[in-house]
Amino acid sequence: MKITLVQFRRRPLAEENMWTAISLAKNEKSDLIIFSENWLSSKAINLDDYIYYIEKIGNILDSNILGGIQYVNENDSIKSVGISYINRKPVRICEKINPSKAVGEREILARGKYIEPIKVYDWKIGCIACVDIFYPEISRLHAINMADIIYNPASISGESVVLWHSVLRTRAAENVVYSIGVNNTNTVYPDQRITAGESVVFNPHGDKILELGSEDTAITVSLDYDYFDFVNRRWAFREDLINKYSNIYKSFFKENN
């Protein structure tokens, strides 16, 4: 499958960010276009507006979209939610389960719930919202639910990029999945830190197969499904997870979701 990663500096207006995304991705030929965290707006927008922007991008680019995650107003609360546009239908793919302590999200965001991986063509993709990637239980549950790809739309500051990459590499290898992180570029945090870009892709062996720089760009990467056979012949990590530990993870999330 060909996947286009889109990273750029967020502008003040959601409409402007939508057209920036379209401009960057319009010449890429891929099966799926994916985005970062709060790339549309730093403020909470109505859920219907978020869906509108994702649908419009998908229709203009004639592509499936994983629309990152976005602060939204829903049922009189603010949540961080991920919306996709797959086969011309909007689908919820993600909610932030553990709001960030560092940027004060715990004072404004309602806790989200776990959402199972979605299917895109013959691949299953599990979305993990930004800081939730540091909670390995979420990735493990995606793997138990047969995810082939872990997708982490994020907003990571420059001093944390190396750590972020190391976690994404670990999630790829320990779960035998492709691991993809998409980050904003040169965007100001609430505490004035700056996001760094450097979106990245790791294969199921933990090898880095793509790393972007700090520029605004859209880059396409091809993922090979046959590579799973090679890794699974060498490593029993995924097999043991499913056969030995799946009930533990499923019961834990059932109790806490």
Side-chain angles (χ1 to χ4, degrees):
M1 180 161 64
K2 292 184 177 180
I3 298 181
T4 300
L5 286 66
V6 184
Q7 64 170 37
F8 60 89
R9 176 180 61 84
R10 184 181 61 234
R11 279 72 172 175
L13 301 178
E15 191 81 9
E16 184 180 10
N17 292 320
M18 180 191 72
W19 287 111
T20 298
I22 291 169
S23 176
L24 289 170
K26 66 182 180 181
N27 295 321
E28 298 293 318
K29 302 299 181 184
S30 65
D31 303 301
L32 185 63
I33 300 172
I34 66 178
F35 294 93
S36 59
E37 179 180 28
N38 288 340
W39 58 275
L40 267 172
S41 176
S42 62
K43 300 177 181 179
I45 63 177
N46 290 330
L47 178 61
D48 289 343
D49 291 336
Y50 180 27
I51 294 171
Y52 162 80
Y53 286 118
I54 301 305
E55 287 184 331
K56 188 166 183 177
I57 292 170
N59 288 329
I60 290 174
L61 296 178
D62 191 25
S63 179
N64 293 313
I65 305 291
L66 298 184
I69 52 174
Q70 173 63 47
Y71 294 163
V72 297
N73 294 304
E74 183 181 31
N75 299 327
D76 298 320
S77 65
I78 300 175
K79 300 178 75 172
S80 182
V81 170
I83 295 293
S84 66
Y85 187 58
I86 307 298
N87 297 325
R88 300 194 177 279
K89 295 181 180 179
V91 179
R92 187 181 293 232
I93 57 169
C94 194
E95 294 184 6
K96 185 174 286 188
I97 298 172
N98 303 288
S100 171
K101 184 176 181 180
V103 298
E105 286 183 344
R106 296 190 172 204
E107 280 70 55
I108 61 171
L109 292 185
R111 184 177 185 272
K113 64 181 182 180
Y114 173 77
I115 296 177
E116 292 189 8
I118 65 165
K119 192 168 185 179
V120 182
Y121 300 114
D122 293 327
W123 296 70
K124 292 190 77 173
I125 303 174
C127 178
I128 299 178
C130 196
V131 72
D132 279 343
I133 198 67
F134 291 91
Y135 295 77
E137 298 81 6
I138 303 171
S139 298
R140 300 296 263 175
L141 191 59
H142 276 331
I144 289 165
N145 286 324
M146 306 308 294
D148 304 300
I149 299 169
I150 286 174
Y151 159 56
N152 181 223
S155 185
I156 304 295
S157 61
E159 68 269 22
S160 298
V161 163
V162 172
L163 173 61
W164 179 53
H165 283 185
S166 69
V167 171
L168 287 166
R169 183 193 298 272
T170 301
R171 299 292 173 264
E174 69 187 1
N175 296 295
V176 189
V177 294
Y178 286 94
S179 177
I180 304 177
V182 188
N183 192 23
N184 301 313
T185 70
N186 299 305
T187 299
V188 180
Y189 258 65
D191 61 5
Q192 304 307 303
R193 287 178 294 161
I194 306 296
T195 59
E198 300 187 46
S199 301
V200 69
V201 181
F202 294 97
N203 70 18
H205 193 259
D207 304 313
K208 186 189 299 181
I209 59 176
L210 178 69
E211 181 179 347
L212 280 59
S214 59
E215 70 279 5
D216 293 3
T217 190
I219 301 292
T220 300
V221 62
S222 293
L223 306 186
D224 180 6
Y225 201 89
D226 290 339
Y227 194 73
F228 288 111
D229 292 335
F230 164 72
V231 180
N232 283 319
R233 284 197 303 268
R234 299 182 70 243
W235 291 345
F237 304 157
R238 177 77 164 252
E239 178 185 343
D240 287 345
L241 169 64
I242 292 172
N243 292 336
K244 297 180 180 180
Y245 306 113
S246 60
N247 288 336
I248 297 172
Y249 284 98
K250 287 181 178 179
S251 63
F252 173 80
F253 270 88
K254 184 176 182 180
E255 292 172 3
N256 291 277
N257 205 17

